[in-house]
Amino acid sequence: MSTAQNPIQIQGVSLESIAEEFGTPVYVYDGKKIVSQVKILQEAFSEVPLKIKYATKALSNVSVLKLMKKAGAGVDAVSIEEVQLGLLAGFEASEIMYTPSGVSFEEIQDAVNLGVMINLDSIPLMRQFGKEYGSSVPACIRINPHIMAGGNIKISVGHKASKFGISIEQLSEILEVVKEYDLKIEGLHLHTGSDILDAEVFLKGANVLFEAAFNFPDLRFIDCGGGFKVAYKPEDISTDIMEVGKKVSAAFQAFCKEYGRQLELWLEPGKFLVSECGLLLVKVNVVKKTPTITFAGVDSGLNHLIRPMLYDAYHGVYNLSNPSGPLETYHVVGYICETDTIASNRELNEVRAGDILVIKNAGAYGFSMASNYNSRLRPAEVLVWEGKAQLIRKRETFEDIISNQVIIDL
Ligand code: LLP
């Protein structure tokens, strides 16, 4: 039975038909859901001039980027390659925010030449940038606000020990460098991490930037990053986006009044926009019972979805092929030659070899973190848009695995 929790179709296209047409494993994205998430965010922040800079790293398929553009979002890129993907998708350079971490100065120069906004994340980089460009190229500064946010230290990046940004405690040094090189600082930025539930954390971060902002007369925007939490478990609560919108917007407007000019508010969500739109369809190769555990072994693994093994992340799973089968407890495991548990101790409708299992919340950091480990092929990607399932990335072939290998004579 198709429920909101366990859908059997997207926009009227059955998941079974997608698995049949495109094979498994396959990532499937609901384009309508992406657009509606963009709308929710726009509504929540309707009181301020909002610019959404979609965190490309979450799901970087160019067709998805094109959809983001259609929905009215811009792009947050963390590598020159993501900048190039954004341009390929049709974004103007001015719609792209480039937030690298510790890249070479050559890459910064390439990005400047492409015309995107550079987010400076260290004092040495500020100096180098200043020497090269002075006031001729406006830039943004990434501040580390020293806020421990979210529940998982691996994805919390705005705390004191994090490598990201420039410590707020170094503000006076930042200001000296700005003065020395006559830097034109048009934006202040922070990103405290992923899976942040509490509206107060967003507000706390924003306030750090507002306070610092009075030292920068040329500002055009304040960028509060991403990190809104979405529900992975059925009982999970997600960030109350309306509450964040209301609180941060009110504080932002009060700040702008004091600052003396209306600035733009920028946000960089990844998960919020694409986590729930994505499903990974996998096929069961084997059901293996041990004296204590029943394993459902599928044609995928940590090479396609690394989040469970890397972060102990929970992804919902259901059996598409046997929706009314009796409930039993399974460990859903991959085919990689390592401990490769996608989901443990899950009640699923009886799983049989050949069944299609659906792994939920697979849109964000699914395909984009996939690899060829064990020399396995990466899956196809399919976007359902206007009631039609379209291939947006071909399944890899063995040729892709060896295409860059130089096989020498020995
Ligand atoms: N802005 C910046 C500068 C970021 O580094 C990130 C994520 C975002 C925005 C978007 O964060 P989001 O809204 O998606 O939480 N791979 C991990 C998450 C690490 C994200 C890294 N940066 C995961 O699968 O949970």
Side-chain angles (χ1 to χ4, degrees), residues 32 35 57 65 115 125 139 179 230 301 349 357 386:
K32 207 166 143 192
V35 174
K57 68 174 85 63
L65 293 175
L125 176 58
K179 199 165 160 210
V230 299
N349 297 109
L357 301 187
E386 294 182 333

Side-chain angles (χ1 to χ4, degrees), residues 13 51 72 143 237 245 255 286 324 345 386-387:
V13 185
K51 289 260 164 78
I143 300 287
I237 19 175
F255 153 71
V286 63
S324 42
N345 286 317
E386 294 182 333

Side-chain angles (χ1 to χ4, degrees), residues 133-307:
Y133 302 111
S135 61
S136 67
V137 179
C140 175
I141 295 175
R142 179 170 185 171
I143 300 287
N144 178 336
H146 294 191
I147 293 173
M148 183 62 86
N152 188 335
I153 184 70
K154 281 191 184 162
I155 52 178
S156 183
V157 294
H159 55 84
K160 202 166 185 168
S162 163
K163 69 165 183 170
F164 293 99
I166 308 175
S167 165
I168 187 63
E169 287 173 11
Q170 291 170 292
L171 182 59
S172 56
E173 203 179 338
I174 293 174
L175 294 174
E176 275 165 31
V177 179
V178 169
K179 199 165 160 210
E180 186 178 343
Y181 297 98
D182 192 23
L183 287 176
K184 189 157 190 263
I185 300 304
E186 289 193 346
L188 291 184
H189 167 278
L190 62 72
H191 171 74
T192 54
S194 227
D195 286 355
I196 302 164
L197 184 62
D198 191 355
E200 294 303 321
V201 173
F202 292 98
L203 195 58
K204 202 169 155 193
N207 280 326
V208 170
L209 294 188
F210 299 158
E211 205 175 302
F214 292 103
N215 297 290
F216 300 88
D218 300 322
L219 291 183
R220 235 174 9 93
F221 64 90
I222 298 283
D223 185 337
C224 289
F228 306 121
K229 183 171 166 43
V230 299
Y232 281 88
K233 291 182 183 160
E235 70 274 18
D236 268 358
I237 19 175
S238 25
T239 311
D240 183 340
I241 214 74
M242 291 300 162
E243 188 193 355
V244 177
K246 215 165 121 192
K247 288 188 170 163
V248 174
S249 298
F252 181 69
Q253 289 309 76
F255 153 71
C256 287
K257 215 165 159 199
E258 216 180 313
Y259 184 76
R261 231 158 11 90
Q262 179 65 61
L263 305 185
E264 291 173 353
L265 179 67
W266 292 12
L267 294 174
E268 299 171 346
K271 272 179 198 168
F272 180 78
L273 299 184
V274 296
S275 175
E276 289 161 315
C277 81
L279 303 171
L280 174 59
L281 310 187
V282 298
K283 190 177 274 176
V284 177
N285 284 335
V286 63
V287 177
K288 182 162 144 182
K289 283 185 200 286
T290 74
T292 49
I293 298 168
T294 307
F295 292 101
V298 301
D299 62 353
S300 185
L302 63 82
N303 53 328
H304 298 156
L305 183 68
I306 199 170
R307 300 191 75 259

